[in-house]
C-alpha cells in the first residue's frame, strides 16, 4: 500500500496567508534565463489540465521567464509515453521540467533520468515517488476532505432527522495510488465516521475510480445500484469528474433526488450542479496562483537556489532519501450562495457560461 511508505513529515505551519507568503519572495521576471522549460500533463480526460493549468502556466511563464520558450506535452494516461517525453525533454536540452505524473507509483525511473541529466524536475498536482525532485506542489488535502465532509454531514444530519433512518451512502472515490487520496480520506473520515457510529449513516457500497477516470466511476456506481437494488440516498465523490459520472449512472437508472456530496476541481459541470442544487458544494485551487508558483519554483531551481523557507509547508516523504519539500496552494469553497464571488468574480467562469445551457439554467443564481 502506498501509504505505508509515503507520507508527510510535519513542520511548523505557515504563519501567513498564501498571498502574503508569496509576497515575501516576489517572483521578479528572470530575464537572464533562456532555453526551454517543459510542462508535462498526464491526460486529456481531467478537465482542469488543458482548460485551466495549461493557459495559467503559459501566462506565468511569459511573465516570469519572458526569454524562455515553453513546451507543453500530454502523456495521454500512458506512463511509458510520459517517460519518453521526459527523455525527449532531456535530449532537447530542457532547463527545467514541471510534471504532473500519470501514476505517482511509477515515477522513480523518470526522476532518476532527470537527476542524471542535471535537470531540475518539479512535481505538481500529482506526487512523484521513489526518486529525487526539486519540489512537490500540491494542495492541503486533509483540509479538502474535512470541508467536503463537513458540508455533507450537515445535510446527512438533516436527512436522518427527517426520516429517522440511516442515510444510505455510496462512496465513489478516486485512485488510492495517489498520495493525496489518503489525506483526503482522513479528512472525510473525521466527519463521516461519527455519523456511521451513531447509526445515522450507512455506507452501502464503496469503490475506487482508478486513474480518476469518469468511466470507472460510472461503472462503479452502476455496480452499486445493482448490488443495493437502487437502495442509495446519496453519493460521496472526491472530485467533480467522478461525481458527475456517478450521478449519470443514477440518472440512467431513473432515480431522482439522490444527493451528491464532495466535489473538487470546479469543472463547469460541477459548478452548474452546485448552482442547480444537485451537488452540495465544490472546491478548487487558485489555478493562476498555483501555476505561477510552479514557474516560480522552476526559476529558483534553474538558478540553483533553495526554495524560500516561507513557501515550504512540510516535507513530503516520497520514499526517497528524506523526501522532498512540499509547497501547498490555497483552496476556495464554492456553494450555491457564493458562486458570484468564488467563481465569476475570480474569473473562473462567466455567468453566461454557467447559465447558457444545462442544469443551472433555471437556478436562482441564473435567474437573479
Amino acid at each position: 500500500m502506498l501509504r505505508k511508505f509515503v507520507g508527510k513529515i510535519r513542520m511548523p505551519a505557515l504563519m501567513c496567508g498564501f498571498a502574503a507568503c508569496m509576497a515575501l519572495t516576489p517572483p521578479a521576471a528572470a530575464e537572464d534565463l533562456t532555453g526551454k522549460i517543459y510542462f508535462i500533463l498526464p491526460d486529456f480526460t481531467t478537465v482542469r489540465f488543458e482548460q485551466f493549468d495549461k493557459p495559467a502556466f503559459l501566462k506565468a511563464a511569459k511573465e516570469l521567464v519572458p526569454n524562455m520558450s515553453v513546451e507543453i506535452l500530454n502523456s495521454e494516461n500512458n506512463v511509458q509515453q510520459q517517460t519518453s517525453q521526459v527523455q525527449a525533454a532531456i535530449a532537447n536540452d530542457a532547463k527545467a521540467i514541471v510534471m504532473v505524473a500519470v501514476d505517482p507509483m511509477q515515477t522513480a525511473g523518470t526522476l532518476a533520468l532527470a537527476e542524471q541529466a542535471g535537470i531540475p524536475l518539479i512535481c505538481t498536482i500529482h506526487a512523484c515517488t521513489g526518486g529525487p525532485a526539486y519540489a512537490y506542489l500540491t494542495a492541503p488535502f486533509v483540509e479538502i476532505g474535512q470541508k467536503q465532509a463537513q458540508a455533507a454531514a450537515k445535510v446527512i444530519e438533516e436527512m436522518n432527522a427527517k426520516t429517522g433512518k440511516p442515510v444510505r451512502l455510496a462512496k465513489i472515490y478516486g485512485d488510492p495510488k495517489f498520495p493525496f487520496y489518503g489525506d483526503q480520506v482522513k479528512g472525510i473520515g473525521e466527519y463521516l465516521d461519527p455519523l456511521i457510529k451513531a447509526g445515522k449513516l450507512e455506507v452501502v457500497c464503496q469503490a475506487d475510480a482508478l486513474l480518476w477516470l469518469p468511466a470507472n466511476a460510472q461503472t462503479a456506481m452502476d455496480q452499486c445500484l445493482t448490488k443495493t437494488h437502487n437502495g442509495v440516498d446519496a453519493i460521496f465523490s472526491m472530485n467533480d469528474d467522478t461525481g458527475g459520472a456517478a450521478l449519470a449512472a443514477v440518472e440512467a437508472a431513473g432515480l431522482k433526488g439522490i444527493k451528491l456530496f464532495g466535489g473538487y476541481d470546479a469543472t463547469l459541470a460541477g459548478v452548474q450542479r452546485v448552482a442547480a442544487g444537485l451537488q452540495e458544494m465544490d472546491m478548487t485551487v487558485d489555478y493562476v496562483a498555483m501555476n505561477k508558483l510552479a514557474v516560480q519554483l522552476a526559476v529558483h531551481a534553474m538558478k540553483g537556489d533553495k526554495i524560500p523557507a516561507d513557501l515550504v509547508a512540510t516535507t513530503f516523504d516520497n520514499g526517497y532519501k528524506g523526501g522532498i519539500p512540499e509547497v501547498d496552494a490555497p483552496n476556495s469553497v464554492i456553494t450555491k450562495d457564493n458562486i458570484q464571488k468564488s467563481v465569476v468574480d475570480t474569473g473562473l467562469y462567466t455567468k453566461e457560461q454557467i447559465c447558457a445551457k444545462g442544469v443551472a439554467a433555471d437556478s436562482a443564481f441564473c435567474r437573479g
Side-chain angles (χ1 to χ4, degrees):
M1 292 290 290
L2 182 64
R3 298 300 298 175
K4 288 183 179 178
F5 73 91
V6 175
K8 295 182 180 180
I9 304 168
R10 283 292 161 195
M11 297 169 62
L14 294 177
M15 298 302 291
C16 56
F18 182 77
C21 285
M22 287 191 70
L24 296 176
T25 52
E31 295 182 357
D32 56 319
L33 294 176
T34 58
K36 292 182 179 179
I37 181 170
Y38 277 74
F39 188 32
I40 303 178
L41 299 170
D43 61 66
F44 290 102
T45 307
T46 305
V47 172
R48 66 168 287 180
F49 298 133
E50 292 286 336
Q51 186 168 340
F52 298 122
D53 293 296
K54 178 178 176 178
F57 190 92
L58 286 169
K59 180 180 179 181
K62 185 176 181 180
E63 176 186 343
L64 299 180
V65 283
N67 294 321
M68 296 191 74
S69 61
V70 178
E71 294 285 340
I72 298 187
L73 307 175
N74 195 300
S75 304
E76 301 182 76
N77 255 333
N78 187 309
V79 172
Q80 292 182 338
Q81 182 169 322
Q82 188 161 79
T83 300
S84 296
Q85 289 170 338
V86 170
Q87 291 173 325
I90 293 169
N92 290 326
D93 195 27
K95 303 304 179 184
I97 299 170
V98 179
M99 183 179 78
V100 187
V102 171
D103 185 341
M105 288 295 291
Q106 299 188 58
T107 54
T110 299
L111 299 181
L113 288 170
E115 182 190 38
Q116 292 163 8
I119 299 173
L121 189 149
I122 293 93
C123 305
T124 184
I125 307 171
H126 296 168
C128 297
T129 62
Y134 181 75
Y136 171 37
L137 175 58
T138 182
F141 275 89
V142 172
E143 175 189 309
I144 291 167
Q146 289 170 334
K147 290 185 176 180
Q148 290 174 327
Q150 186 176 22
K154 180 179 178 182
V155 179
I156 290 168
E157 291 271 17
E158 293 170 353
M159 293 171 68
N160 172 257
K162 184 176 181 179
T163 66
K165 298 179 181 179
V167 175
R168 300 168 298 179
L169 181 71
K171 290 183 177 180
I172 307 297
Y173 283 180
D175 194 329
K177 290 183 294 185
F178 290 69
F180 58 74
Y181 174 102
D183 287 341
Q184 198 169 350
V185 168
K186 179 181 178 181
I188 292 168
E190 291 180 20
Y191 287 89
L192 295 194
D193 288 351
L195 295 177
I196 295 171
K197 291 179 181 179
K200 297 179 179 180
L201 178 66
E202 178 187 1
V203 179
V204 294
C205 51
Q206 180 169 344
D208 292 318
L210 299 183
L211 291 177
W212 303 87
L213 293 176
N216 292 339
Q218 186 162 352
T219 297
M221 193 65 218
D222 282 333
Q223 293 171 345
C224 176
L225 294 175
T226 299
K227 172 187 173 183
T228 63
H229 304 288
N230 293 342
V232 175
D233 301 311
I235 302 165
F236 198 113
S237 68
M238 286 180 153
N239 72 2
D240 286 347
D241 288 339
T242 54
L247 198 60
V250 168
E251 292 170 349
L255 302 179
K256 304 290 184 181
I258 305 298
K259 295 283 187 180
L260 177 58
F261 301 127
Y264 193 77
D265 290 334
T267 65
L268 179 57
V271 172
Q272 289 173 329
R273 288 193 296 269
V274 172
L278 299 176
Q279 181 171 319
E280 191 61 28
M281 54 92 79
D282 207 340
M283 294 184 70
T284 183
V285 294
D286 182 331
Y287 294 112
V288 172
M290 186 174 196
N291 282 281
K292 190 170 186 177
L293 186 50
V295 176
Q296 184 184 354
L297 290 170
V299 169
H300 287 304
M302 288 185 287
K303 288 189 170 185
D305 298 334
K306 290 184 178 180
I307 302 172
D310 53 274
L311 292 182
V312 179
T314 185
T315 296
F316 176 69
D317 180 5
N318 75 333
Y320 183 83
K321 294 183 180 180
I324 55 179
E326 177 181 319
V327 178
D328 288 348
N331 288 288
S332 62
V333 174
I334 300 167
T335 69
K336 63 181 180 180
D337 297 322
N338 74 358
I339 290 177
Q340 180 66 41
K341 181 178 179 180
S342 63
V343 177
V344 178
D345 292 349
T346 59
L348 194 59
Y349 302 109
T350 65
K351 186 171 184 178
E352 289 71 26
Q353 286 176 303
I354 298 169
C355 302
K357 58 181 179 179
V359 296
D362 292 328
S363 66
F365 169 75
C366 292
R367 294 196 308 268

